[in-house]
Amino acid sequence: MNHKLFLGGSEEEMEFMPIIPLNEDGSENNDEQAIPAELPLLPLRNTVLFPGVVLPITVGRDKSIKAVNDAYKTDKLVGVVSQKDSNVEEPTVSDLVDIGTIAKIVKLIKMPDGGTTIIIQGKKRFKTEEITSDDPYFKARISVLEDEPLVDDSDFEAMVGSIKELAAQIIQLSPNMPSEASIILKNIENPSFLIHFVSSNLNSSLVEKQRLLEINNIKARAEVLMNLLQTELQYAELKNKVTNKTRAELDKQQKDYFLQQQMKAIKEELGGENIAEVNDMRKKAEGKKWPAAAKEMFTKGVEKLERMHPSTPDYSVVYNHLDLMLDLPWDDYTKDQYDLKKAKKVLDNDHYGMDKIKERILEYLAVLKLKGDMKSPILCFVGPPGIGKTSLGKSIANAINRKYVRVSLGGLHDESEIRGHRKTYIGAMPGRILQSIRKTKSSNPVMILDEIDKVGNDFRGDPSSALLEVLDPEQNNNFYDNYLELEYDLSKVLFIATANNLQNISPTLRDRLEIIDLSGYAIEEKIEIAKRHLLPKQKEAHGLSEGSYGKDVNFKISDAVLEKIITDYTRESGVRDLDRQLASIMRNLAKQYAVKGKLKPTISAGDVTKILGKSRFSNEMYKTANMAGVAVGLAWTYVGGDILFIETAISDNGKGELKLTGNLGNVMKESATTAMTYLQTNAKKYGIDPELFTKKNVHIHIPEGAVPKDGPSAGITLMTALASSFTGKRVKPYLAMTGEITLRGQVLPVGGIKEKILAAKRAGLKEIIMCALNEKDVQEIDQAFIKGLKISYVKNMQQVLDLALA
């Protein structure tokens, strides 16, 4: 049906609401007004008038206004016809249809703007026989068309009911139609008027409506109208379906937009800073190069954070986790420098000596340069304190142009410190490894795992076991941190562990490490280190560096004075104590300069004695200890080599008992028992009365009873001291020895040779006895450092006693 249902028509367009006749039955038949043979014609451009239907018409053309005025003054009847082409402004005879409707002008209204509006009611159909005049308006001779009489027909009644029903459905499906239309349809009882009323408001072309008007049989007209209504109903249903679908989509978009705006307003009201933080995080994430799993987790986390209020407890948990993900350098690597000459120069400038380690680092760089990529080895520097293990790691980082980070593992006893805590716990943090990676902003730094031998374990787990994954090149490319909840690639990190005592590292962890032993420094090396590194550092630290206050502050310390400081005031493998002694000297010199304004150009040995006091260590004790039953042994400790006195005494009226004192471990006690048994077995060979072993008691004591002592190194020393006591022969002065013994009299090799030799050199000893198999260890030491030291190699106890006993 027409969306402008019940609207009127005009020569231009429909404008007004309809007027419904009060007496629909009398519209056609009960009005007995005579129809003249000739009528003025009123052409309509866009409307077909049906009998019984009332329409308001706006008349605009001059000819039409004259025709209407003349008709209104007489019988008020006009012939209403439609134009064939509605676009024609001034129609001619050929532009008018033949069949129209005789209409009565019910009302003529003069409008304020000068126009004319008429209300007309259709009466009967007519046919134009001849146009009699076209000036001042069209006049035509007409013949009235009567509808064919309709007998009682049940089919027709069904058609009328269907027309009502179809029209009602169309009205219901058309949102622009007024709701009163359905009420009007229900109240129309005259079938003929119903058909004409529905036809008038049909949303069909003028051609279709004109065809309806021209049908003489009312039943046939009703049938055609039904077909048109069916078509219009389908069109209305389709249009309604499309409209509803479009509206639903628009409604959903509008609803989503509305809800988003509401959510935005609520968030801004509750806490606007959340939006800024989330947007800032998203902006940072745009430039990140990270794996797909990390990107997916970050996206979910940001969406979750966006929905949370900053005051909720979980907000900080989610925020900190996302912040860690943004800070981690997922695929950011520094570019290694493969200039081996430059790397060697950097290593030599930073550390004196250590040729073996420097060679290993250069080998690593060479492989990296040739291959371009390799899984980083796990190096472990083992040696006494103060020899530069940790600082060597920093030099390696500088040499290959990598970032440097140090992780202190000393005293660590919580597994979560390595793998991180679950982020749901209060105070949860990522592990030390990822924290260090985050700090360096690089995924391939040099990472120093300091004091790996001092990792403890308790009820909170075993950190050294957690390190197994970190320090395995085959596994650490998928290192899992509990806090991050993602795998992170550590395979490009160059791990360097440091330790003092290899025995304290678990075997499984030790298996993953490439052990590099660092020995203590000889006196000559310490002098060079003091001149190159320690003195310049302490001068600068105390304001005595060259150029600080002019030339008056310049002074020199000779090698001889440095040697005195090293031998008389330090007993160590490293140089930490030496650094402290030099700092004491610098403080005293700084005070002198502050008071006097100048310094002596050369610091003498006497000045050192005045500043540091009398010598803390002396070699005189080794000269006075020259008596029967006393031998000097060499020991290895994790802080370096040391000198060990072994004293034996034989008492009369005994029962052959052996007494051991000096806080000895089981291995050393067994060595003493073995030495005693060997002497008993070979007593005659060495000129000892066998009965002495049953009549005398033997007491072996090793001084410094508060210090625990253990190991097989003192085997030959114990045997020499016992032989000295039983034979009464004294051991050679300035002689030390180290080696393990067997009951058969063989001498076995021991470890820590360099440390022991350097300890003997520091103590002023002149001769050392050791196993012949240890000769290879001595050859690794720079011969300049052991100049003046005689080393005798033995294979059995007979050779030891021949050399040791005067």
Side-chain angles (χ1 to χ4, degrees):
M1 303 265 309
N2 196 331
H3 287 182
K4 294 183 178 180
L5 184 64
F6 313 126
L7 293 179
S10 73
E11 290 170 304
E12 283 80 26
E13 58 178 299
M14 293 183 263
E15 293 289 346
F16 302 102
M17 292 296 292
I19 299 172
I20 304 301
L22 296 175
N23 185 5
E24 61 187 59
D25 291 331
S27 61
E28 294 184 51
N29 304 319
N30 295 340
D31 195 342
E32 297 299 334
Q33 185 177 358
I35 306 296
E38 190 176 67
L39 282 174
L41 296 182
L42 180 61
L44 297 182
R45 298 175 64 178
N46 56 359
T47 305
V48 176
L49 178 66
F50 285 87
V53 177
V54 177
L55 280 178
I57 301 290
T58 300
V59 183
R61 298 184 185 123
D62 292 338
K63 282 185 176 183
S64 299
I65 292 171
K66 288 176 183 178
V68 167
N69 286 332
D70 288 354
Y72 193 70
K73 291 173 184 176
T74 56
D75 55 6
K76 299 184 179 179
L77 294 177
V78 292
V80 176
V81 292
S82 298
Q83 291 180 195
K84 293 177 182 177
D85 187 356
S86 59
N87 294 321
V88 176
E89 289 290 336
E90 296 293 335
T92 61
V93 174
S94 61
D95 292 321
L96 303 178
V97 298
D98 294 336
I99 296 174
T101 305
I102 300 167
K104 183 177 181 179
I105 301 172
V106 179
K107 188 74 175 173
L108 187 143
I109 305 165
K110 296 290 185 181
M111 303 303 288
D113 59 358
T116 301
T117 297
I118 59 173
I119 297 172
I120 59 175
Q121 182 178 15
K123 292 295 182 182
K124 291 188 177 183
R125 297 180 305 124
F126 74 89
K127 182 178 180 183
T128 304
E129 299 294 342
E130 182 185 0
I131 301 295
T132 58
S133 174
D134 61 354
D135 189 43
Y137 46 81
F138 290 110
K139 282 185 179 182
R141 185 167 51 81
I142 66 164
S143 59
V144 178
L145 298 176
E146 297 289 347
D147 288 344
E148 294 178 5
L150 186 68
V151 295
D152 291 339
D153 190 343
S154 58
D155 289 347
F156 179 70
E157 290 177 5
M159 283 182 187
V160 172
S162 294
I163 289 169
K164 272 191 178 183
E165 188 178 337
L166 287 168
Q169 289 179 17
I170 293 169
I171 291 167
Q172 191 177 358
L173 289 171
S174 303
N176 295 329
M177 289 187 180
S179 58
E180 295 85 351
S182 297
I183 301 170
I184 292 169
L185 277 174
K186 287 178 183 178
N187 288 291
I188 296 175
E189 296 177 359
N190 189 325
S192 179
F193 177 68
L194 174 70
I195 292 168
H196 293 154
F197 184 76
V198 172
S199 299
S200 180
N201 290 285
L202 197 64
N203 191 26
S204 296
S205 65
L206 261 66
V207 176
E208 296 287 353
K209 289 184 179 182
Q210 185 65 30
R211 186 161 69 92
L212 279 171
L213 184 66
E214 291 174 0
I215 297 172
N216 291 327
N217 188 291
I218 191 73
K219 184 177 179 182
R221 200 181 299 160
E223 194 172 340
V224 173
L225 177 61
M226 275 186 61
N227 289 335
L228 291 172
L229 286 172
Q230 288 281 4
T231 303
E232 188 169 344
L233 178 61
Q234 291 177 6
Y235 172 74
E237 285 176 344
L238 180 62
K239 185 177 180 183
N240 191 55
K241 183 179 178 182
V242 172
T243 304
N244 288 341
K245 184 179 179 183
T246 308
R247 184 183 292 117
E249 290 176 357
L250 287 172
D251 287 350
K252 185 177 183 302
Q253 290 176 0
Q254 290 170 344
K255 181 181 176 184
D256 291 349
Y257 176 75
F258 177 70
L259 290 173
Q260 285 171 359
Q261 292 300 313
Q262 275 191 324
M263 188 181 290
K264 186 177 178 182
I266 291 167
K267 283 181 180 176
E268 286 176 353
E269 190 69 27
L270 291 174
E273 69 277 2
N274 183 20
I275 297 171
E277 286 179 346
V278 170
N279 291 339
D280 187 44
M281 280 189 159
R282 281 203 170 105
K283 192 174 180 181
K284 285 182 182 176
E286 288 175 3
K288 293 292 287 185
K289 299 180 292 182
W290 46 15
K295 189 174 184 180
E296 183 183 355
M297 179 177 277
F298 179 82
T299 305
K300 288 181 180 177
V302 165
E303 290 172 355
K304 185 177 180 182
L305 190 72
E306 202 171 19
R307 296 191 296 268
M308 298 171 73
H309 188 266
S311 62
T312 57
D314 284 348
Y315 182 85
S316 60
V317 174
V318 177
Y319 181 86
N320 291 336
H321 183 249
L322 295 176
D323 195 42
L324 170 68
M325 291 184 72
L326 285 172
D327 283 350
L328 284 174
W330 291 90
D331 278 327
D332 293 335
Y333 301 101
T334 54
K335 191 175 180 181
D336 291 343
Q337 274 188 356
Y338 301 132
D339 188 343
L340 301 186
K341 291 181 179 177
K342 183 184 176 184
K344 188 175 189 306
K345 188 177 180 182
V346 170
L347 292 172
D348 287 340
N349 287 341
D350 290 348
H351 290 81
Y352 180 77
M354 296 190 178
D355 296 330
K356 185 179 177 184
I357 298 172
K358 292 174 184 175
E359 196 63 32
R360 176 66 186 85
I361 299 302
L362 293 173
E363 286 172 2
Y364 167 71
L365 286 179
V367 174
L368 210 57
K369 182 177 182 179
L370 295 175
K371 191 172 182 290
D373 181 32
M374 68 177 285
K375 288 184 176 177
S376 295
I378 314 297
L379 305 177
C380 182
F381 298 155
V382 179
I387 60 171
K389 298 186 296 297
T390 305
S391 61
L392 187 63
K394 196 166 189 176
S395 297
I396 292 169
N398 292 335
I400 62 178
N401 195 34
R402 284 195 184 188
K403 298 282 186 71
Y404 165 83
V405 64
R406 174 179 165 272
V407 180
S408 178
L409 300 179
L412 200 72
H413 46 67
D414 189 350
E415 180 198 346
S416 298
E417 292 285 344
I418 304 297
R419 284 209 180 101
H421 310 79
R422 300 281 178 195
K423 69 172 184 282
T424 51
Y425 297 139
I426 293 173
M429 290 190 303
R432 295 273 190 95
I433 305 297
L434 279 196
Q435 284 186 52
S436 302
I437 296 283
R438 179 187 195 176
K439 186 167 69 175
T440 57
K441 302 288 183 187
S442 168
S443 286
N444 63 336
V446 174
M447 187 175 290
I448 304 295
L449 301 176
D450 217 6
E451 311 293 356
I452 199 171
D453 58 328
K454 295 173 184 63
V455 174
N457 62 337
D458 59 12
F459 64 93
R460 284 166 286 193
D462 183 5
S464 63
S465 297
L467 283 169
L468 295 177
E469 183 185 6
V470 177
L471 299 181
D472 191 339
E474 298 300 324
Q475 297 178 27
N476 62 11
N477 60 330
N478 290 320
F479 172 67
Y480 185 86
D481 187 273
N482 292 328
Y483 184 87
L484 182 63
E485 293 183 343
L486 280 171
E487 293 177 342
Y488 197 88
D489 186 4
L490 297 178
S491 61
K492 303 291 190 299
V493 179
L494 177 56
F495 288 103
I496 297 178
T498 71
N500 298 130
N501 190 358
L502 205 57
Q503 305 304 317
N504 293 342
I505 304 175
S506 66
T508 48
L509 184 57
R510 193 162 65 236
D511 184 56
R512 284 163 167 78
L513 304 172
E514 184 176 336
I515 306 297
I516 298 178
D517 288 309
L518 279 75
S519 304
Y521 296 117
I523 293 174
E524 290 82 359
E525 287 178 304
K526 288 184 180 181
I527 292 171
E528 286 298 323
I529 293 168
K531 284 160 58 178
R532 296 186 186 191
H533 302 289
L534 303 183
L535 270 174
K537 182 184 79 172
Q538 291 299 344
K539 281 182 178 182
E540 188 175 349
H542 293 86
L544 298 173
S545 58
E546 291 184 13
S548 296
Y549 300 100
K551 292 183 178 180
D552 291 340
V553 83
N554 294 340
F555 60 90
K556 291 181 180 179
I557 301 179
S558 65
D559 290 0
V561 173
L562 285 174
E563 185 175 352
K564 175 180 174 61
I565 297 170
I566 292 166
T567 55
D568 291 358
Y569 297 94
T570 66
R571 276 287 186 272
E572 59 175 350
S573 294
V575 291
R576 281 208 184 104
D577 200 17
L578 173 60
D579 197 30
R580 283 190 285 270
Q581 301 302 328
L582 291 174
S584 298
I585 294 172
M586 294 304 119
R587 283 195 300 273
N588 189 277
L589 294 176
K591 186 185 75 172
Q592 288 182 34
Y593 185 81
V595 173
K596 298 179 181 178
K598 63 178 182 178
L599 290 173
K600 291 170 63 177
T602 305
I603 306 301
S604 65
D607 296 326
V608 171
T609 305
K610 287 179 184 178
I611 296 169
L612 299 180
K614 292 186 177 180
S615 301
R616 290 170 55 193
F617 302 99
S618 174
N619 296 335
E620 294 299 317
M621 57 188 297
Y622 305 114
K623 299 174 184 176
T624 57
N626 189 14
M627 57 181 288
V630 178
V632 177
L634 296 175
W636 179 92
T637 69
Y638 77 93
V639 294
D642 202 1
I643 301 298
L644 204 65
F645 279 99
I646 293 179
E647 302 174 351
T648 58
I650 298 175
S651 57
D652 294 332
N653 302 321
K655 300 178 181 178
E657 294 178 353
L658 177 63
K659 188 176 182 180
L660 301 168
T661 56
N663 199 353
L664 309 182
N666 288 332
V667 176
M668 192 169 272
K669 288 177 181 177
E670 289 167 1
S671 292
T673 307
T674 305
M676 191 72 176
T677 304
Y678 175 77
L679 274 179
Q680 282 180 313
T681 308
N682 299 280
K684 291 182 179 178
K685 188 176 180 181
Y686 298 115
I688 302 171
D689 185 358
E691 291 185 5
L692 290 176
F693 293 100
T694 56
K695 294 178 181 178
K696 306 274 188 181
N697 284 341
V698 180
H699 184 172
I700 300 176
H701 176 67
I702 301 176
E704 297 183 25
V707 180
K709 294 171 276 290
D710 200 4
S713 297
I716 63 171
T717 318
L718 285 163
M719 204 272 312
T720 303
L722 285 170
S724 174
S725 286
F726 278 106
T727 59
K729 295 179 180 178
R730 290 179 296 177
V731 179
K732 275 186 186 177
Y734 301 104
L735 168 71
M737 58 191 77
T738 182
E740 187 180 358
I741 61 169
T742 68
L743 284 174
R744 294 170 293 160
Q746 286 183 308
V747 179
L748 302 180
V750 290
I753 294 299
K754 182 179 180 183
E755 301 291 341
K756 291 174 180 177
I757 290 176
L758 294 178
K761 187 82 187 296
R762 282 196 300 269
L765 300 177
K766 297 175 181 178
E767 188 176 351
I768 297 175
I769 298 174
M770 65 176 67
C771 176
L773 295 176
N774 282 126
E775 186 175 0
K776 65 181 187 304
D777 300 306
V778 177
Q779 289 173 353
E780 290 182 3
I781 306 170
D782 190 335
Q783 297 304 304
F785 300 159
I786 55 175
K787 190 178 179 182
L789 197 63
K790 181 182 177 183
I791 299 175
S792 302
Y793 300 104
V794 296
K795 293 182 180 179
N796 54 60
M797 283 305 302
Q798 181 66 53
Q799 293 174 318
V800 173
L801 294 179
D802 289 346
L803 289 169
L805 298 181

